[in-house]
Amino acid sequence: MPKKLKIALILLLFILLIMSGCGPRTTKPETNEGAAQEEKDKGKKDATSGASMANYTPLEELKDSYDIVIVGAGGAGMSAALEAKAAGMNPVILEKMPVAGGNTSKASSGMNASETKFQKEQGISDRNDLFYEETLKGGHNTNNKDMLRFFVDHSADAIDWLDSIGITLNNITITGGMSEKRTHRPKDGSAVGQYLVTGLLKNVQEQGIPIFVNANVKEITKQDGKANGVKVAFTQHGEKTIAAKSVVITAGGFGANMDIIAQVRPDLEGYVTTNHEGSTGDGISMIEKMGGTTVDMEEIQVHPTVQQENSYLIGEVVRGEGAILINSKGERFINEMAARDSVTAAINKLPEKKAFLVFDSGVRSRATAVEEYVKMGFVKTKDTIEALAGDIGVPADQLHKTLDTWNSAVKNKKDAEFGRKTGMDHDLSAAPYYAIRIGPGIHYTMGGVRINTNTEVLDQNGKPIPGLFAAGEVTGGLHGENRIGGNSVAEIIIFGRQAGIKSSEYVKTAK
Ligand SMILES: Cc1cc2nc3c(=O)[nH]c(=O)nc-3n(C[C@H](O)[C@H](O)[C@H](O)COP(=O)(O)OP(=O)(O)OC[C@H]3O[C@@H](n4cnc5c(N)ncnc54)[C@H](O)[C@@H]3O)c2cc1C
């Protein structure tokens, strides 16, 4: 082929490639995670199909004014947007990261809810009152009781709402501090977060709700004491003020902001964090500048089972499906299903401040999140208990004894050593055997801005700041001193929806 023709063909191919990569007026999220999810999603028919191919709204479509501005595209923000749209509003979502999802995409174990249709179908008899009492006990009786009552009473409805928009959480497990199976997750038992974000994003797009990424909200604006918009800095496009009749802050917690953590909890300096990098507490500082107040800021949840080298959370589901924790002597040392603060305290009392999660192939098949941990290279695998003991450096005879004692406890439904009562449906006897080395890590910020059950942000006198709403991890009070695993995903759907509903009512009635 003549050289000139060759060059022309290469040029033509290059132009065609560029054209196919740039759809009209759209941008694509640039993550491998997104691409992997696209592959996984192919062929599925529910709301989670294809949403990871999400195209965010191009900046040219940004308007000067909306009914409602929602800050943060995690689970709370997208739920609020969907309810606002359903109420006839014109909402917009602004997200500072290049992709939607926040900490919500990282959620692994599931979403707690009581008296749900899926529990009933599966013969799990549960009560909202029991869910209330156990959450209160987990929070050491410091939870905001009005918020908690609203939360448990609306949890089943939240599961139904998700199901109605194609996000079905019908596989039920259990987390620490709970006595009933009420942690809802996708049908195949996989991690809840990616599934939820993909499904919510798809709905947001189908409803034509604009969602701008790389949009870092810096300030809430006000007039006559009422929130009336935001100032937002777009990466590479400068700052803009957007007017709104109401502002909803769903910007997440501050688990990745080591400056705030060092201020409120100096003892946690040096801990790893499981949070995504956008969890910097911006929403809290913006709301404080508007006269909002905070609660429980020093209450930071340290998760007991974090793979330290990659700060990667090993979900509670692994213990919920039967794993045990052992120390360097190969002995159990705690009821693994106790609330997170107790398990963390027990690990911190060990001289090495680290422990091993030990489980068998049965746990691996029931907790599909384990596949991810295997892929990441966190999991030691051996065909025998002796070989596993050798690999992780604990005495083989003791590990054998520990597993024998545990398997008898499971068989007799009585853990005489530590009083564990849940996550005991199956023993640990199916080779191969597995171990993951874990230690505690910063995981969740219980504290945040003070709201009421209408998600209105409260000022120092406990009065709502007109036009300002907040929901999700940016708020405090619901969990008190200690959050139960699975309650945050429930919180973001329940109170995220409520923020969408109440901010819409405000817009309709405000003069
Ligand atoms: C590893 C991990 C596993 C978890 N597993 C579970 C679980 O199984 N069950 C459970 O109940 N909970 C779990 N949690 C907790 C739960 O996922 C979060 O608390 C919850 O998803 C928070 O949702 P959100 O919508 O409030 O905030 P996020 O999902 O964090 O969303 C907030 C968004 O706001 C954006 N934002 C922040 N500041 C700005 C700004 N200035 N301008 C614009 N945007 C901004 C952020 O980038 C982010 O995208 C887990 C958390 C982690 C980290």
Side-chain angles (χ1 to χ4, degrees):
M1 191 186 299
K3 202 175 164 192
K4 272 190 182 163
L5 183 63
K6 223 177 185 177
I7 292 170
L9 275 174
I10 290 170
L11 264 174
L12 183 68
L13 191 67
F14 186 57
I15 290 166
L16 281 174
L17 270 175
I18 289 180
M19 281 171 67
S20 66
C22 302
R25 299 151 64 80
T26 55
T27 51
K28 275 195 172 195
E30 293 158 7
T31 56
N32 290 335
E33 222 171 33
Q37 189 69 29
E38 270 174 35
E39 259 326 290
K40 247 166 80 187
D41 285 337
K42 273 182 194 158
K44 277 202 205 163
K45 287 207 173 59
D46 61 6
T48 63
S49 305
S52 58
M53 289 183 276
N55 296 322
Y56 299 107
T57 317
L59 201 55
E60 307 90 84
E61 291 183 13
L62 184 72
K63 296 189 181 137
D64 293 334
S65 144
Y66 292 87
D67 289 332
I68 303 173
V69 167
I70 297 166
V71 180
M78 289 195 278
S79 302
L82 288 169
E83 286 292 7
K85 187 76 182 181
M89 294 289 110
N90 167 26
V92 63
I93 308 176
L94 302 175
E95 165 58 50
K96 77 170 172 182
M97 302 301 286
V99 289
N103 269 353
T104 306
S105 345
K106 293 189 138 215
S108 49
S109 300
M111 164 171 165
N112 289 345
S114 51
E115 299 188 21
T116 69
K117 65 176 178 188
F118 298 128
Q119 283 180 312
K120 282 172 201 153
E121 274 168 26
Q122 292 166 38
I124 301 165
S125 98
D126 196 4
R127 288 180 297 115
N128 290 353
D129 286 349
L130 186 65
F131 186 18
Y132 178 96
E133 282 153 25
E134 291 178 353
T135 299
L136 197 57
K137 187 171 170 220
H140 312 144
N141 214 6
T142 57
N143 316 57
N144 177 318
K145 296 190 178 62
D146 292 340
M147 300 271 294
L148 180 54
R149 190 74 250 173
F150 185 92
F151 170 78
V152 296
D153 289 347
H154 290 79
S155 63
D157 188 41
I159 292 283
D160 287 347
W161 178 74
L162 287 174
D163 192 33
S164 76
I165 60 170
I167 301 168
T168 302
L169 301 176
N170 58 356
N171 181 327
I172 311 175
T173 184
I174 191 163
T175 56
M178 300 273 105
S179 70
E180 283 297 345
K181 285 190 177 180
R182 59 172 73 103
T183 309
H184 294 65
R185 54 190 179 164
K187 191 175 173 187
D188 62 358
S190 59
V192 70
Q194 276 290 336
Y195 177 76
L196 187 60
V197 166
T198 311
L200 286 172
L201 195 48
K202 183 163 193 272
N203 277 277
V204 162
Q205 289 164 337
E206 280 172 1
Q207 293 304 316
I209 300 169
I211 176 166
F212 295 94
V213 292
N214 298 311
N216 190 353
V217 175
K218 298 284 189 188
E219 191 184 325
I220 305 163
T221 58
K222 64 177 168 184
Q223 192 177 18
D224 304 329
K226 296 176 186 170
N228 74 342
V230 294
K231 282 190 181 155
V232 51
F234 290 95
T235 318
Q236 297 166 348
H237 295 280
E239 214 169 277
K240 206 169 160 32
T241 300
I242 299 173
K245 294 171 190 146
S246 162
V247 175
V248 176
I249 303 293
T250 49
F254 58 93
N257 188 329
M258 292 309 156
D259 293 337
I260 306 185
I261 288 171
Q263 265 171 39
V264 295
R265 283 289 300 276
D267 60 306
L268 295 182
E269 239 177 298
Y271 272 61
V272 299
T273 180
T274 63
N275 282 208
H276 89 119
E277 62 176 290
S279 271
T280 45
D282 305 5
I284 299 174
S285 37
M286 285 190 275
I287 286 177
E288 279 183 315
K289 281 190 196 130
M290 282 285 292
T293 51
T294 57
V295 56
D296 294 338
M297 285 294 282
E298 68 292 355
E299 303 301 349
I300 295 176
Q301 183 164 75
V302 173
H303 197 289
T305 59
V306 179
Q307 197 273 353
Q308 299 287 295
E309 287 71 24
N310 297 57
S311 312
Y312 205 91
L313 181 92
I314 307 300
E316 211 147 297
V317 63
V318 182
R319 282 171 284 149
E321 292 298 347
I324 57 169
L325 281 168
I326 60 156
N327 59 22
S328 59
K329 295 179 186 155
E331 299 160 338
R332 285 180 69 220
F333 55 92
I334 178 78
N335 164 7
E336 295 84 353
M337 294 302 287
R340 288 177 177 173
D341 53 350
S342 309
V343 181
T344 295
I347 295 172
N348 277 337
K349 268 197 203 139
L350 299 172
E352 61 279 16
K353 296 190 182 351
K354 304 279 178 300
F356 287 102
L357 269 167
V358 172
F359 52 98
D360 71 347
S361 61
V363 172
R364 179 174 177 176
S365 67
R366 293 186 296 277
T368 51
V370 171
E371 299 313 317
E372 190 63 26
Y373 312 146
V374 171
K375 263 193 247 151
M376 306 275 292
F378 304 158
V379 187
K380 302 271 187 195
T381 307
K382 290 288 170 196
D383 285 335
T384 64
I385 295 166
E386 288 71 21
L388 187 71
D391 203 9
I392 63 177
V394 305
D397 51 346
Q398 180 57 52
L399 184 57
H400 228 297
K401 206 169 139 199
T402 300
L403 282 168
D404 285 348
T405 311
W406 171 248
N407 288 342
S408 312
V410 169
K411 192 170 163 212
N412 303 323
K413 300 260 170 277
K414 188 168 171 54
D415 174 21
E417 282 181 298
F418 298 103
R420 174 164 163 180
K421 292 198 169 69
T422 57
M424 294 179 73
D425 292 348
H426 308 271
D427 69 7
L428 298 175
S429 59
Y433 294 92
Y434 305 92
I436 306 177
R437 189 160 190 268
I438 53 82
I442 291 166
H443 182 53
Y444 183 83
T445 49
M446 264 84 65
V449 298
R450 209 182 276 272
I451 57 165
N452 59 18
T453 54
N454 286 336
T455 66
E456 293 165 304
V457 174
L458 303 178
D459 68 12
Q460 279 172 350
N461 302 315
K463 287 220 166 81
I465 298 173
L468 187 56
F469 298 79
E473 198 174 336
V474 71
T475 68
L478 173 69
H479 310 287
E481 287 176 0
N482 183 48
R483 179 183 69 102
I484 294 290
N487 275 3
S488 181
V489 169
E491 172 185 23
I492 62 177
I493 305 301
I494 295 164
F495 287 104
R497 292 181 67 199
Q498 177 76 336
I501 293 166
K502 291 296 165 185
S503 57
S504 302
E505 280 174 17
Y506 172 85
V507 170
K508 286 177 188 169
T509 54
K511 302 241 160 50

